Amino acid sequence: MSDSPNHSLQAERKKAIREGLLAVRPALVATFTWGLVTGVAMVKSGLTENAAIAMTLLVYAGTAQLTSLPLIASGAPLWLIFAAGLIVNLRFLIFSAALQPYFRDLPWFKRLAYGYFTTDMSFVLFMPRFGDATPKGTPYQRWFFLSTIAPGWLTWQSSSMLGIMLGTLVPTSWALDFAAVLALMAITIPLANSRPMLVAMLAAGVTAWVAQPLPLRLGLLAAVVVGIVAGIWAEKSYKKARR
Amino acid sequence: MPIELLQPDEWYVLGAIALLVVCTFLTRASYHLFGHRIPLGEGVRRALRYAPAAALTAIIVPALLPWSTQGFTATIDEKIVAALVAIWIFKRTRNNLAMIVGGMAVFWVMRAIFG
């Protein structure tokens, strides 16, 4: 009985879930704090409680949420909010390209769901384990993935709700909308991990500062273009200098 | 508040949320849905590497150093000082939470003294 295929499949599933849960557990503290900060930031940047709840439940993307807050507060046009949301989430496009082989034989709605619930953490935990795996897309791999994204979702959503509740209790005079800027900085500073990246960020920062009087916060787009060009230019000139 | 149709700015916020949901799907599920029919060449990848950091920096800088009403001079206030201290805290501790809490603390103290 114990060697029936059904039984071994169950045992394998159990093992995959266990491995996934153990892997994601240490990361949940960070997820929790981050959700809490984002929850507070949303209501303190002027969203109503309902709007903040809708945003966390539907958007489920902390960086894009935090990025959109100052834009919404200053009444930037919707297309610019959309563009900014896309740009700060571009890393997920790379993740999606890398994860796609593991889910390609599933029906489209399952692929859509696996994509939607992908987090930085799930990607970082998955790829070192299964990046070179053959075949790609085994039930074991998908069960592992699922058991890293499910606790992440639960932790993020419950801490965001807690943050939204706390945010409504704290008076506006505490200026906690500044905490949203600090949270964005905490996301951004670790990105400056190479000299070309630092050049790109400096160029983007200067452009964004000079371009402030542009209407509709178009300085944001200008800064992105200048940042990309500066980054690629710096990459090339550092390579040349090393030769 | 009486129950009424959504205010214009509520439609605006709702629209922003809807578009951000589209962003989430487009970035996280495009390849899951359409496979590798979307080309992702080395040049594009390289450009994509710099775009998010540039956009985030461009959001942060005007929030910290807004132009003064006379134009082309920065308003130096407690925000930029608190931000610089927060960066220093992050370099020392590598801890997000310490950075946010420390930055807020400096902000509050400075505002209490000068504000």
Side-chain angles (χ1 to χ4, degrees):
Chain A
M1 195 54 200
S2 66
D3 286 317
S4 79
N6 210 7
H7 191 273
S8 69
L9 197 73
Q10 258 177 11
E12 198 183 71
R13 181 195 299 174
K14 219 172 158 179
K15 190 165 165 273
I17 292 176
R18 202 181 125 77
E19 193 187 342
L21 290 177
L22 281 177
V24 77
R25 195 172 54 182
L28 292 180
V29 182
T31 307
F32 186 89
T33 3
W34 212 240
L36 195 74
V37 170
T38 309
V40 173
M42 283 189 292
V43 278
K44 286 295 118 185
S45 302
L47 294 193
T48 63
E49 223 179 318
N50 286 338
I53 290 171
M55 188 183 253
T56 187
L57 285 178
L58 299 172
V59 179
Y60 189 47
T63 312
Q65 287 169 234
L66 287 171
T67 301
S68 73
L69 293 177
L71 295 177
I72 291 175
S74 66
L78 289 176
W79 66 263
L80 190 68
I81 296 176
F82 177 71
L86 270 186
I87 292 169
V88 299
N89 267 331
L90 279 175
R91 66 185 188 284
F92 284 112
L93 203 61
I94 316 267
F95 296 176
S96 175
L99 288 170
Q100 182 268 345
Y102 300 85
F103 304 101
R104 78 178 135 207
D105 45 358
L106 295 174
W108 69 269
F109 54 91
K110 285 198 180 172
R111 294 196 310 252
L112 191 69
Y114 271 110
Y116 174 84
F117 288 106
T118 297
T119 59
D120 293 281
M121 205 52 75
S122 61
F123 181 77
V124 166
L125 294 172
F126 187 86
M127 290 317 282
R129 284 179 173 80
F130 304 111
D132 300 321
T134 42
K136 290 181 166 64
T138 62
Y140 187 92
Q141 293 161 0
R142 289 203 286 262
W143 277 109
F144 174 88
F145 193 78
L146 201 59
S147 24
T148 59
I149 55 178
W153 188 87
L154 281 173
T155 308
W156 173 265
Q157 297 299 358
S158 47
S159 62
S160 284
M161 295 297 163
L162 192 66
I164 291 168
M165 271 167 45
L166 287 177
T168 53
L169 298 176
V170 172
T172 313
S173 61
W174 287 24
L176 275 183
D177 53 332
F178 184 56
V181 180
L182 289 170
L184 269 181
M185 286 172 59
I187 295 174
T188 310
I189 290 166
L191 297 178
N193 55 6
S194 70
R195 276 201 288 181
M197 188 63 92
L198 202 60
V199 171
M201 288 164 76
L202 282 174
V206 171
T207 310
W209 189 78
V210 173
Q212 277 183 64
L214 286 183
L216 313 173
R217 300 206 54 162
L218 284 174
L220 176 58
L221 282 191
V224 171
V225 173
V226 171
I228 290 173
V229 172
I232 293 176
W233 169 81
E235 198 178 313
K236 278 184 186 150
S237 39
Y238 282 127
K239 258 183 208 151
K240 244 181 240 159
R242 239 174 279 146
R243 257 186 236 133
Chain B
M1 274 266 279
I3 297 165
E4 51 189 19
L5 282 174
L6 292 173
Q7 299 291 311
D9 56 328
E10 290 175 305
W11 281 113
Y12 171 70
V13 172
L14 225 56
I17 292 174
L19 286 172
L20 289 174
V21 174
V22 176
C23 285
T24 302
F25 277 111
L26 277 180
T27 50
R28 290 191 202 174
S30 280
Y31 282 93
H32 287 72
L33 276 188
F34 306 115
H36 282 265
R37 268 163 281 176
I38 321 159
L40 194 63
E42 189 45 46
V44 180
R45 270 176 197 265
R46 187 190 280 172
L48 293 191
R49 208 164 41 230
Y50 296 108
L56 289 166
T57 310
I59 290 278
I60 294 165
V61 167
L64 293 179
L65 279 173
W67 276 31
S68 68
T69 39
Q70 291 89 8
F72 219 74
T73 41
T75 315
I76 307 267
D77 61 8
E78 56 269 18
K79 279 187 183 162
I80 185 67
V81 179
L84 290 174
V85 175
I87 293 174
W88 178 79
I89 293 174
F90 185 77
K91 293 270 169 220
R92 292 295 299 263
T93 63
R94 292 269 132 199
N95 185 325
N96 289 331
L97 196 63
M99 172 182 181
I100 295 170
V101 172
M104 274 322 287
V106 173
F107 176 78
W108 284 326
V109 167
M110 288 201 45
R111 214 176 43 167
I113 297 171
F114 303 104

